[in-house]
Coordinates of all heavy atoms in Angstrom, one line a residue:
M21 N 156.8 110.0 96.3 CA 156.5 108.8 95.6 C 156.7 107.6 96.5 O 157.7 107.6 97.2 CB 157.5 108.8 94.4 CG 157.3 107.5 93.5 SD 158.5 107.4 92.1 CE 158.1 108.9 91.2
E22 N 155.8 106.6 96.3 CA 156.0 105.4 97.2 C 157.2 104.6 96.7 O 157.6 104.6 95.6 CB 154.8 104.5 97.0 CG 153.5 105.0 97.7 CD 152.4 104.1 97.3 OE1 152.6 102.8 97.2 OE2 151.2 104.6 97.2
F23 N 157.8 104.0 97.7 CA 159.0 103.2 97.5 C 158.8 102.2 96.3 O 159.6 102.1 95.4 CB 159.4 102.4 98.8 CG 160.6 101.5 98.6 CD1 161.9 102.0 98.5 CD2 160.4 100.1 98.5 CE1 163.0 101.1 98.3 CE2 161.4 99.3 98.3 CZ 162.7 99.7 98.2
Q24 N 157.7 101.4 96.4 CA 157.4 100.4 95.4 C 157.3 101.0 94.0 O 157.8 100.4 93.0 CB 156.2 99.6 95.8 CG 156.1 98.3 95.1 CD 155.0 97.4 95.8 OE1 154.1 97.9 96.5 NE2 154.9 96.2 95.4
R25 N 156.6 102.1 93.9 CA 156.4 102.8 92.6 C 157.8 103.2 92.1 O 158.1 103.1 90.9 CB 155.5 104.0 92.8 CG 155.2 104.8 91.5 CD 154.3 104.0 90.6 NE 154.2 104.7 89.3 CZ 154.9 104.3 88.2 NH1 155.6 103.2 88.2 NH2 154.8 104.9 87.1
L26 N 158.7 103.8 92.9 CA 160.0 104.2 92.5 C 160.8 103.0 92.0 O 161.5 103.1 91.0 CB 160.7 104.9 93.7 CG 162.1 105.4 93.3 CD1 162.1 106.5 92.3 CD2 162.8 105.9 94.6
E27 N 160.7 101.9 92.7 CA 161.4 100.7 92.2 C 160.9 100.2 90.8 O 161.7 99.8 90.0 CB 161.3 99.5 93.3 CG 162.0 99.8 94.6 CD 163.5 100.1 94.4 OE1 164.2 99.3 93.7 OE2 164.0 101.2 94.8
Q28 N 159.6 100.3 90.6 CA 159.0 99.9 89.3 C 159.6 100.9 88.2 O 159.9 100.4 87.2 CB 157.5 100.0 89.4 CG 156.8 98.9 90.1 CD 155.3 99.2 90.2 OE1 154.8 100.2 89.8 NE2 154.6 98.2 90.8
L29 N 159.6 102.2 88.6 CA 160.1 103.2 87.6 C 161.5 102.9 87.3 O 161.9 102.9 86.1 CB 159.9 104.5 88.3 CG 160.2 105.8 87.4 CD1 159.3 105.8 86.2 CD2 159.9 107.0 88.2
K30 N 162.3 102.5 88.3 CA 163.7 102.3 88.0 C 163.9 101.0 87.1 O 164.7 101.0 86.2 CB 164.5 102.1 89.3 CG 164.8 103.3 90.0 CD 165.8 103.2 91.1 CE 165.2 102.9 92.4 NZ 166.2 102.8 93.5
A31 N 163.1 100.0 87.3 CA 163.1 98.8 86.5 C 162.7 99.1 85.1 O 163.3 98.7 84.1 CB 162.2 97.7 87.1
E32 N 161.7 100.0 84.9 CA 161.2 100.4 83.6 C 162.2 101.2 82.8 O 162.4 101.0 81.6 CB 159.9 101.2 83.7 CG 158.7 100.3 84.1 CD 157.4 101.1 84.4 OE1 157.3 102.2 83.8 OE2 156.6 100.6 85.2
I33 N 163.0 102.0 83.5 CA 164.0 102.9 82.9 C 165.1 102.0 82.4 O 165.7 102.3 81.3 CB 164.6 103.9 83.9 CG1 163.5 105.0 84.2 CG2 165.9 104.5 83.4 CD1 163.9 105.9 85.3
G34 N 165.3 100.8 83.0 CA 166.3 99.9 82.5 C 166.0 99.3 81.1 O 166.9 98.9 80.4
N35 N 164.7 99.4 80.7 CA 164.3 98.9 79.4 C 164.1 100.0 78.4 O 163.7 99.8 77.3 CB 162.9 98.2 79.6 CG 163.0 96.9 80.4 OD1 164.0 96.2 80.4 ND2 162.0 96.7 81.2
A36 N 164.5 101.2 78.8 CA 164.3 102.4 77.9 C 165.3 102.3 76.7 O 166.4 101.8 76.9 CB 164.4 103.7 78.6
S37 N 164.9 102.9 75.6 CA 165.8 103.0 74.4 C 166.8 104.1 74.7 O 166.6 105.0 75.6 CB 165.0 103.3 73.2 OG 164.6 104.6 73.2
P38 N 168.0 104.2 74.0 CA 168.9 105.3 74.1 C 168.3 106.7 74.0 O 168.6 107.6 74.8 CB 170.0 105.0 73.1 CG 169.9 103.6 72.8 CD 168.5 103.2 73.0
D39 N 167.4 106.8 73.0 CA 166.7 108.1 72.9 C 165.9 108.5 74.1 O 165.9 109.6 74.6 CB 165.8 108.1 71.6 CG 166.6 108.3 70.3 OD1 167.8 108.6 70.4 OD2 166.0 108.0 69.3
Q40 N 165.2 107.4 74.6 CA 164.4 107.7 75.8 C 165.2 108.0 77.0 O 164.8 108.8 77.8 CB 163.5 106.4 76.1 CG 162.4 106.2 75.0 CD 161.7 104.9 75.2 OE1 162.3 103.9 75.6 NE2 160.4 104.9 74.8
V41 N 166.4 107.3 77.1 CA 167.3 107.6 78.2 C 167.7 109.1 78.2 O 167.8 109.8 79.2 CB 168.5 106.7 78.2 CG1 169.5 107.1 79.3 CG2 168.0 105.2 78.5
L42 N 168.1 109.6 77.0 CA 168.5 111.0 76.9 C 167.4 111.9 77.3 O 167.6 112.9 77.9 CB 169.0 111.3 75.4 CG 170.3 110.6 75.0 CD1 170.6 110.9 73.6 CD2 171.4 111.1 75.9
D43 N 166.1 111.5 76.9 CA 165.0 112.3 77.2 C 164.8 112.4 78.8 O 164.6 113.4 79.4 CB 163.7 111.7 76.5 CG 162.5 112.6 76.6 OD1 162.7 113.8 76.8 OD2 161.4 112.1 76.3
L44 N 164.9 111.2 79.4 CA 164.8 111.1 80.8 C 165.9 111.9 81.5 O 165.6 112.5 82.6 CB 164.9 109.6 81.3 CG 163.7 108.7 81.0 CD1 164.0 107.3 81.1 CD2 162.5 109.1 81.9
Q45 N 167.1 111.9 80.9 CA 168.2 112.6 81.5 C 167.8 114.1 81.6 O 168.1 114.8 82.6 CB 169.5 112.4 80.7 CG 170.7 113.0 81.4 CD 171.9 112.8 80.6 OE1 171.9 112.6 79.4 NE2 173.1 112.8 81.2
D46 N 167.2 114.6 80.5 CA 166.8 116.0 80.5 C 165.8 116.3 81.6 O 165.8 117.3 82.3 CB 166.2 116.4 79.2 CG 167.3 116.5 78.1 OD1 168.5 116.5 78.4 OD2 166.9 116.5 76.9
V47 N 164.8 115.4 81.8 CA 163.8 115.5 82.8 C 164.4 115.6 84.2 O 164.1 116.4 85.0 CB 162.7 114.4 82.7 CG1 161.8 114.4 83.9 CG2 161.9 114.5 81.4
I48 N 165.3 114.6 84.4 CA 166.0 114.5 85.8 C 166.8 115.7 86.0 O 166.8 116.3 87.1 CB 166.8 113.2 85.9 CG1 165.8 112.0 86.0 CG2 167.7 113.2 87.1 CD1 166.4 110.7 85.8
Q49 N 167.5 116.2 85.0 CA 168.4 117.4 85.2 C 167.5 118.6 85.5 O 167.9 119.4 86.4 CB 169.2 117.7 83.9 CG 170.4 118.6 84.1 CD 171.3 118.0 85.1 OE1 171.7 116.9 85.1 NE2 171.6 118.8 86.1
A50 N 166.3 118.7 84.9 CA 165.4 119.8 85.2 C 164.9 119.7 86.7 O 164.9 120.7 87.4 CB 164.2 119.8 84.3
V51 N 164.6 118.5 87.1 CA 164.2 118.3 88.5 C 165.3 118.7 89.5 O 165.1 119.3 90.5 CB 163.7 116.9 88.7 CG1 163.4 116.6 90.2 CG2 162.4 116.7 87.9
I52 N 166.5 118.3 89.1 CA 167.7 118.5 90.0 C 167.8 120.0 90.2 O 168.1 120.5 91.3 CB 169.0 117.9 89.5 CG1 168.9 116.4 89.7 CG2 170.2 118.4 90.2 CD1 170.0 115.6 89.1
S53 N 167.7 120.8 89.0 CA 168.0 122.2 89.2 C 166.8 122.9 89.9 O 167.0 123.9 90.6 CB 168.2 122.9 87.8 OG 167.4 122.4 86.8
Q54 N 165.6 122.4 89.9 CA 164.5 122.9 90.6 C 164.7 122.6 92.1 O 164.2 123.4 93.0 CB 163.2 122.3 90.2 CG 162.7 122.9 88.9 CD 161.5 122.1 88.3 OE1 161.1 121.1 88.9 NE2 161.1 122.4 87.1
Q55 N 165.2 121.5 92.4 CA 165.3 121.0 93.8 C 166.7 121.0 94.4 O 167.0 120.2 95.3 CB 164.7 119.6 93.9 CG 163.3 119.5 93.5 CD 162.7 118.1 93.7 OE1 163.4 117.2 94.2 NE2 161.5 117.9 93.3
V56 N 167.5 121.9 93.9 CA 168.9 121.9 94.3 C 169.2 122.0 95.8 O 170.0 121.2 96.3 CB 169.7 123.0 93.5 CG1 169.3 124.4 93.9 CG2 171.2 122.8 93.6
A57 N 168.4 122.8 96.4 CA 168.6 123.0 97.9 C 168.1 121.7 98.6 O 168.9 121.2 99.5 CB 167.8 124.2 98.4
E58 N 167.0 121.2 98.2 CA 166.5 119.9 98.9 C 167.4 118.8 98.7 O 167.7 118.0 99.5 CB 165.1 119.5 98.4 CG 164.0 120.4 98.8 CD 163.7 121.5 97.8 OE1 164.6 121.9 97.0 OE2 162.6 122.1 97.8
I59 N 168.0 118.7 97.4 CA 168.9 117.6 97.1 C 170.2 117.7 97.9 O 170.8 116.8 98.4 CB 169.1 117.5 95.6 CG1 167.9 117.0 94.9 CG2 170.3 116.6 95.2 CD1 167.8 117.2 93.4
A60 N 170.7 119.0 98.1 CA 171.9 119.2 98.9 C 171.7 118.7 100.3 O 172.5 118.1 100.9 CB 172.3 120.7 98.8
L61 N 170.5 119.0 100.8 CA 170.2 118.6 102.2 C 170.1 117.1 102.3 O 170.5 116.5 103.2 CB 168.9 119.3 102.7 CG 169.0 120.7 102.9 CD1 167.6 121.3 103.3 CD2 169.9 121.0 104.1
A62 N 169.5 116.5 101.2 CA 169.3 115.0 101.2 C 170.7 114.4 101.2 O 170.9 113.4 101.9 CB 168.5 114.6 100.0
R63 N 171.6 114.9 100.4 CA 173.0 114.4 100.3 C 173.7 114.5 101.7 O 174.3 113.6 102.1 CB 173.8 115.2 99.3 CG 173.5 114.7 97.9 CD 174.7 115.1 97.0 NE 174.4 114.6 95.6 CZ 174.2 115.4 94.6 NH1 174.3 116.7 94.7 NH2 174.0 114.9 93.4
R64 N 173.5 115.7 102.3 CA 174.1 115.8 103.7 C 173.5 114.8 104.7 O 174.2 114.3 105.5 CB 173.8 117.3 104.2 CG 174.8 118.3 103.7 CD 174.5 119.6 104.3 NE 175.0 119.7 105.7 CZ 176.2 120.2 106.1 NH1 177.0 120.6 105.1 NH2 176.6 120.2 107.3
T65 N 172.2 114.6 104.6 CA 171.6 113.7 105.5 C 172.1 112.3 105.3 O 172.5 111.6 106.2 CB 170.0 113.6 105.3 OG1 169.5 115.0 105.5 CG2 169.3 112.7 106.2
Q66 N 172.2 111.8 104.0 CA 172.7 110.5 103.7 C 174.2 110.4 104.2 O 174.6 109.4 104.7 CB 172.6 110.2 102.2 CG 171.2 109.9 101.8 CD 171.0 109.5 100.4 OE1 172.0 109.5 99.6 NE2 169.8 109.2 100.0
S67 N 175.0 111.4 104.0 CA 176.4 111.4 104.4 C 176.5 111.3 105.9 O 177.3 110.6 106.4 CB 177.0 112.7 103.8 OG 178.2 112.9 104.5
R68 N 175.6 112.1 106.6 CA 175.6 112.0 108.1 C 175.2 110.6 108.6 O 175.8 110.1 109.5 CB 174.7 113.1 108.6 CG 174.6 113.2 110.1 CD 175.9 113.6 110.8 NE 176.1 115.1 110.6 CZ 177.2 115.7 110.9 NH1 178.2 115.1 111.5 NH2 177.3 117.0 110.7
I69 N 174.2 110.0 107.9 CA 173.8 108.7 108.3 C 174.9 107.7 108.1 O 175.1 106.8 109.0 CB 172.5 108.3 107.5 CG1 171.3 109.1 108.0 CG2 172.2 106.8 107.6 CD1 170.0 108.9 107.1
Q70 N 175.7 107.9 107.0 CA 176.8 106.9 106.8 C 177.9 107.2 107.7 O 178.5 106.2 108.3 CB 177.2 107.1 105.3 CG 176.3 106.3 104.4 CD 176.5 106.7 102.9 OE1 177.5 107.4 102.6 NE2 175.6 106.2 102.1
S71 N 178.3 108.5 108.0 CA 179.5 108.7 108.8 C 179.2 108.6 110.3 O 180.0 108.2 111.1 CB 180.0 110.1 108.5 OG 179.2 111.1 109.1
K72 N 177.9 108.8 110.7 CA 177.4 108.7 112.1 C 178.4 109.4 113.0 O 178.8 108.8 114.0 CB 177.3 107.2 112.5 CG 176.2 106.5 111.8 CD 176.1 105.0 112.3 CE 175.1 104.2 111.6 NZ 173.7 104.3 112.0
T73 N 178.7 110.6 112.7 CA 179.6 111.4 113.5 C 178.9 112.5 114.2 O 178.2 113.3 113.5 CB 180.8 111.9 112.7 OG1 181.4 110.9 112.0 CG2 181.8 112.6 113.6
C74 N 179.1 112.7 115.5 CA 178.4 113.8 116.2 C 179.2 115.1 116.0 O 180.4 115.1 116.2 CB 178.4 113.4 117.7 SG 177.9 114.8 118.7
P75 N 178.5 116.2 115.6 CA 179.2 117.5 115.4 C 179.6 118.1 116.7 O 180.4 119.1 116.7 CB 178.2 118.3 114.7 CG 176.8 117.8 115.1 CD 177.1 116.3 115.3
H76 N 179.1 117.7 117.8 CA 179.4 118.3 119.1 C 180.7 117.6 119.7 O 181.6 118.3 120.1 CB 178.3 118.1 120.1 CG 177.0 118.7 119.6 ND1 176.8 120.0 119.4 CD2 175.8 118.1 119.3 CE1 175.6 120.3 119.0 NE2 175.0 119.1 118.9
C77 N 180.7 116.3 119.8 CA 181.9 115.6 120.5 C 182.7 114.7 119.5 O 183.6 114.1 119.9 CB 181.3 114.8 121.6 SG 180.4 113.3 121.1
R78 N 182.3 114.7 118.2 CA 182.9 113.8 117.2 C 182.8 112.3 117.6 O 183.5 111.5 117.0 CB 184.4 114.1 117.1 CG 184.7 115.6 116.6 CD 184.4 115.7 115.1 NE 184.2 117.1 114.8 CZ 183.4 117.5 113.8 NH1 182.8 116.6 113.0 NH2 183.3 118.8 113.5
G79 N 181.9 112.0 118.5 CA 181.6 110.6 118.8 C 180.9 109.9 117.6 O 180.4 110.6 116.7
V80 N 181.0 108.6 117.6 CA 180.4 107.9 116.4 C 179.3 107.0 116.8 O 178.8 106.2 115.9 CB 181.5 107.1 115.7 CG1 182.5 108.0 115.0 CG2 182.2 106.1 116.6
D81 N 178.7 107.2 118.0 CA 177.6 106.4 118.4 C 176.3 107.2 118.2 O 175.8 107.8 119.2 CB 177.7 105.9 119.9 CG 176.7 104.8 120.2 OD1 176.0 104.4 119.3 OD2 176.7 104.4 121.4
V82 N 175.9 107.4 117.0 CA 174.8 108.3 116.6 C 173.7 107.5 116.1 O 173.8 106.6 115.3 CB 175.3 109.4 115.6 CG1 174.2 110.1 115.0 CG2 176.4 110.3 116.2
V83 N 172.5 107.9 116.6 CA 171.2 107.2 116.1 C 170.3 108.2 115.5 O 170.3 109.4 115.9 CB 170.6 106.4 117.3 CG1 171.5 105.2 117.7 CG2 170.2 107.3 118.4
L84 N 169.4 107.7 114.7 CA 168.3 108.6 114.1 C 167.4 108.9 115.3 O 167.1 108.2 116.2 CB 167.5 107.8 113.0 CG 168.3 107.4 111.8 CD1 167.4 106.7 110.8 CD2 169.1 108.5 111.2
H85 N 166.9 110.2 115.2 CA 166.1 110.7 116.3 C 164.9 111.5 115.8 O 164.6 112.6 116.2 CB 167.0 111.6 117.2 CG 166.4 111.9 118.5 ND1 166.1 111.0 119.5 CD2 166.0 113.2 119.0 CE1 165.6 111.7 120.5 NE2 165.5 112.9 120.3
G86 N 164.1 110.9 114.9 CA 162.9 111.5 114.4 C 163.2 112.7 113.5 O 164.3 112.9 113.0
K87 N 162.1 113.4 113.1 CA 162.2 114.6 112.2 C 161.9 115.9 112.9 O 161.1 115.8 113.9 CB 161.3 114.4 111.0 CG 161.5 113.1 110.3 CD 162.4 113.3 109.1 CE 162.7 112.0 108.4 NZ 161.8 111.6 107.3
D88 N 162.5 117.0 112.5 CA 162.1 118.3 113.1 C 160.9 118.9 112.4 O 160.3 118.2 111.5 CB 163.3 119.2 113.1 CG 163.7 119.7 111.7 OD1 162.9 119.5 110.8 OD2 164.8 120.3 111.6
K89 N 160.5 120.1 112.8 CA 159.3 120.7 112.3 C 159.4 121.0 110.8 O 158.4 121.1 110.1 CB 158.9 121.9 113.1 CG 159.9 123.1 113.0 CD 159.4 124.2 113.9 CE 160.1 125.5 113.7 NZ 161.6 125.5 113.7
N90 N 160.6 121.0 110.3 CA 160.8 121.3 108.8 C 160.9 119.9 108.1 O 161.2 120.0 106.9 CB 162.0 122.1 108.6 CG 161.8 123.5 109.1 OD1 160.8 124.1 109.0 ND2 162.9 124.0 109.8
G91 N 160.7 118.8 108.8 CA 160.8 117.5 108.1 C 162.2 117.0 107.9 O 162.4 116.0 107.3
R92 N 163.2 117.7 108.6 CA 164.6 117.2 108.4 C 164.9 116.2 109.5 O 164.4 116.2 110.6 CB 165.6 118.4 108.6 CG 165.7 119.3 107.4 CD 166.9 120.2 107.7 NE 166.7 121.0 108.8 CZ 166.2 122.3 108.8 NH1 165.9 122.8 107.6 NH2 166.0 122.9 109.9
Q93 N 165.7 115.2 109.1 CA 166.2 114.2 110.0 C 166.9 114.7 111.2 O 167.7 115.6 111.0 CB 167.1 113.2 109.2 CG 167.5 112.0 110.1 CD 166.4 111.1 110.4 OE1 165.7 110.7 109.5 NE2 166.2 110.8 111.7
R94 N 166.5 114.3 112.4 CA 167.3 114.6 113.6 C 168.1 113.4 114.0 O 167.7 112.3 113.7 CB 166.4 115.1 114.7 CG 165.8 116.5 114.4 CD 165.3 117.2 115.7 NE 166.4 117.4 116.6 CZ 167.3 118.4 116.5 NH1 167.2 119.2 115.5 NH2 168.2 118.6 117.4
F95 N 169.2 113.7 114.7 CA 170.1 112.6 115.2 C 170.3 112.8 116.7 O 170.2 113.9 117.2 CB 171.4 112.7 114.5 CG 171.4 112.5 113.0 CD1 171.2 113.7 112.2 CD2 171.4 111.3 112.4 CE1 171.1 113.6 110.8 CE2 171.4 111.2 111.0 CZ 171.2 112.3 110.2
R96 N 170.7 111.7 117.4 CA 171.0 111.8 118.8 C 172.3 111.1 119.0 O 172.5 110.0 118.5 CB 170.0 111.3 119.7 CG 170.2 111.7 121.2 CD 169.0 111.3 122.0 NE 169.0 109.8 122.2 CZ 169.6 109.2 123.2 NH1 170.4 109.8 124.0 NH2 169.5 107.9 123.3
C97 N 173.2 111.7 119.7 CA 174.5 111.1 120.0 C 174.4 110.4 121.3 O 174.0 111.0 122.3 CB 175.6 112.2 120.1 SG 177.2 111.5 120.7
R98 N 174.7 109.1 121.4 CA 174.6 108.4 122.6 C 175.8 108.7 123.5 O 175.8 108.4 124.7 CB 174.6 106.9 122.3 CG 173.3 106.4 121.8 CD 173.3 104.9 121.5 NE 172.0 104.4 121.2 CZ 171.9 103.2 120.6 NH1 172.9 102.5 120.2 NH2 170.7 102.8 120.3
G99 N 176.9 109.3 123.0 CA 178.0 109.6 123.8 C 177.7 110.9 124.6 O 177.8 110.8 125.8
C100 N 177.4 112.0 124.0 CA 177.2 113.2 124.7 C 175.7 113.5 125.0 O 175.3 114.5 125.6 CB 177.8 114.4 124.0 SG 177.1 114.9 122.5
R101 N 174.8 112.7 124.4 CA 173.4 112.7 124.6 C 172.7 114.0 123.9 O 171.6 114.3 124.2 CB 173.0 112.7 126.1 CG 173.4 111.4 126.7 CD 173.0 111.4 128.2 NE 172.9 110.0 128.7 CZ 171.8 109.3 128.6 NH1 170.7 109.7 128.1 NH2 171.8 108.0 129.1
R102 N 173.5 114.7 123.1 CA 172.9 115.9 122.5 C 172.3 115.5 121.2 O 172.6 114.5 120.6 CB 174.0 116.9 122.3 CG 174.5 117.5 123.6 CD 175.7 118.4 123.4 NE 175.2 119.7 122.9 CZ 176.0 120.7 122.6 NH1 177.3 120.6 122.8 NH2 175.5 121.9 122.2
T103 N 171.3 116.3 120.7 CA 170.7 116.1 119.4 C 171.1 117.1 118.4 O 171.6 118.2 118.8 CB 169.1 116.1 119.5 OG1 168.7 117.4 119.9 CG2 168.6 115.1 120.5
F104 N 171.0 116.8 117.2 CA 171.4 117.7 116.1 C 170.8 117.3 114.8 O 170.2 116.3 114.7 CB 173.0 117.7 116.0 CG 173.5 116.3 115.7 CD1 173.7 115.9 114.4 CD2 173.9 115.5 116.8 CE1 174.3 114.6 114.2 CE2 174.4 114.3 116.6 CZ 174.6 113.8 115.3
N105 N 170.8 118.3 113.8 CA 170.4 117.9 112.5 C 171.5 118.2 111.6 O 172.7 118.5 112.0 CB 169.1 118.8 112.1 CG 169.4 120.2 112.0 OD1 170.5 120.7 111.7 ND2 168.4 121.1 112.2
I106 N 171.3 118.0 110.3 CA 172.4 118.0 109.3 C 173.0 119.4 109.2 O 174.1 119.6 108.6 CB 172.0 117.6 107.9 CG1 170.7 118.2 107.5 CG2 171.8 116.0 107.9 CD1 170.3 118.0 106.1
L107 N 172.3 120.5 109.7 CA 172.8 121.8 109.5 C 173.5 122.3 110.8 O 174.0 123.4 110.8 CB 171.7 122.8 109.1 CG 171.0 122.5 107.8 CD1 169.9 123.4 107.5 CD2 172.1 122.6 106.7
T108 N 173.5 121.5 111.9 CA 174.1 121.9 113.1 C 175.6 122.1 112.8 O 176.2 121.2 112.2 CB 174.0 120.8 114.2 OG1 172.6 120.6 114.4 CG2 174.7 121.1 115.5
G109 N 176.1 123.2 113.3 CA 177.5 123.5 113.0 C 177.8 124.3 111.8 O 178.9 124.7 111.4
T110 N 176.7 124.6 111.0 CA 176.8 125.4 109.8 C 176.2 126.8 110.2 O 175.6 126.9 111.3 CB 176.0 124.9 108.6 OG1 174.6 125.0 108.9 CG2 176.3 123.4 108.4
P111 N 176.4 127.8 109.3 CA 175.8 129.1 109.7 C 174.3 129.2 109.6 O 173.7 130.2 109.9 CB 176.4 130.0 108.6 CG 177.5 129.3 108.0 CD 177.2 127.8 108.1
M112 N 173.6 128.1 109.3 CA 172.2 128.1 109.1 C 171.5 126.9 109.7 O 170.8 126.2 109.0 CB 171.8 128.3 107.7 CG 172.5 127.3 106.8 SD 172.1 127.7 105.0 CE 173.1 126.4 104.3
P113 N 171.7 126.7 111.0 CA 171.1 125.5 111.6 C 169.6 125.4 111.6 O 169.0 124.4 111.6 CB 171.6 125.5 113.1 CG 171.9 126.9 113.3 CD 172.4 127.5 112.0
G114 N 168.9 126.6 111.5 CA 167.4 126.6 111.5 C 166.9 126.8 110.1 O 165.7 127.1 109.9
F115 N 167.8 126.7 109.1 CA 167.4 127.0 107.7 C 166.2 126.2 107.3 O 166.2 125.0 107.4 CB 168.6 126.7 106.8 CG 168.4 126.9 105.4 CD1 168.1 128.1 104.8 CD2 168.4 125.8 104.5 CE1 167.9 128.3 103.4 CE2 168.2 125.9 103.2 CZ 168.0 127.2 102.6
A116 N 165.2 126.8 106.7 CA 164.0 126.1 106.1 C 164.1 126.3 104.6 O 164.2 127.4 104.1 CB 162.7 126.7 106.7
V117 N 164.0 125.2 103.9 CA 164.2 125.2 102.5 C 162.9 125.8 101.9 O 161.8 125.5 102.2 CB 164.3 123.8 101.9 CG1 164.3 123.8 100.4 CG2 165.6 123.2 102.4
M118 N 163.2 126.8 101.0 CA 162.1 127.4 100.3 C 162.0 126.8 98.9 O 162.9 126.7 98.2 CB 162.3 128.9 100.1 CG 162.4 129.7 101.3 SD 160.9 129.7 102.2 CE 161.2 130.7 103.6
R119 N 160.8 126.3 98.6 CA 160.6 125.7 97.3 C 160.5 126.7 96.2 O 159.8 127.7 96.3 CB 159.3 124.9 97.3 CG 159.5 123.5 97.3 CD 158.2 122.7 97.4 NE 158.5 121.4 98.0 CZ 159.1 120.4 97.4 NH1 159.6 120.5 96.1 NH2 159.4 119.3 98.0
Q120 N 161.3 126.4 95.1 CA 161.2 127.3 94.0 C 160.0 126.9 93.1 O 159.8 125.7 92.9 CB 162.4 127.2 93.1 CG 163.7 127.7 93.8 CD 164.9 127.4 93.0 OE1 164.9 126.6 92.0 NE2 166.0 127.9 93.4
T121 N 159.1 127.8 92.7 CA 158.0 127.5 91.9 C 158.0 128.2 90.6 O 158.7 129.1 90.4 CB 156.7 127.8 92.6 OG1 156.7 129.1 93.1 CG2 156.4 126.9 93.8
Ligands
LIG11 ZN1 178.2 113.7 120.8

């Protein structure tokens, strides 16, 4: 979804009635359960962007470094010059999210 469209949607949700909000909550909950793995990765990505900590040297001079072949954010540490993604240091660094259909 485009950024502008999402912002419009958020503004429209602000005008929804209580019944409509409950309906929307059900829709969002269903989407969350369908996309649980993707959402967990998105949370990890946002957390990494905020903490800017290198998993190799614990340095904090970390910059965004494009996306990998699975579309995940990559990072580069200016301290040790190594690159990593949000799964580096976990048991599944090459994990590719499978979409549930
Ligand atoms: Zn580092």
Side-chain angles (χ1 to χ4, degrees):
M21 183 184 296
E22 285 176 34
F23 174 77
Q24 201 169 10
R25 180 75 190 101
L26 180 62
E27 291 304 306
Q28 285 173 358
L29 189 58
K30 287 196 265 186
E32 288 171 30
I33 288 171
N35 297 323
S37 72
D39 283 347
Q40 290 171 329
V41 170
L42 290 177
D43 194 16
L44 287 166
Q45 186 178 24
D46 290 345
V47 170
I48 289 171
Q49 199 56 53
V51 172
I52 287 172
S53 41
Q54 283 166 6
Q55 300 185 0
V56 66
E58 288 94 336
I59 289 169
L61 290 174
R63 281 202 177 114
R64 277 186 75 94
T65 302
Q66 287 184 356
S67 161
R68 181 68 74 185
I69 288 171
Q70 281 166 9
S71 74
K72 291 184 186 280
T73 306
C74 173
H76 302 296
C77 73
R78 299 283 160 211
V80 291
D81 194 2
V82 168
V83 293
L84 299 181
H85 191 63
K87 303 266 172 91
D88 70 12
K89 64 183 189 314
N90 295 316
R92 280 191 301 262
Q93 182 67 54
R94 288 200 63 76
F95 302 88
R96 191 172 74 84
C97 174
R98 286 176 170 164
C100 69
R101 299 180 157 273
R102 294 176 75 180
T103 63
F104 54 92
N105 68 27
I106 49 169
L107 298 176
T108 299
T110 73
M112 47 184 181
F115 176 69
V117 173
M118 297 297 182
R119 252 180 205 286
Q120 295 172 351
T121 50

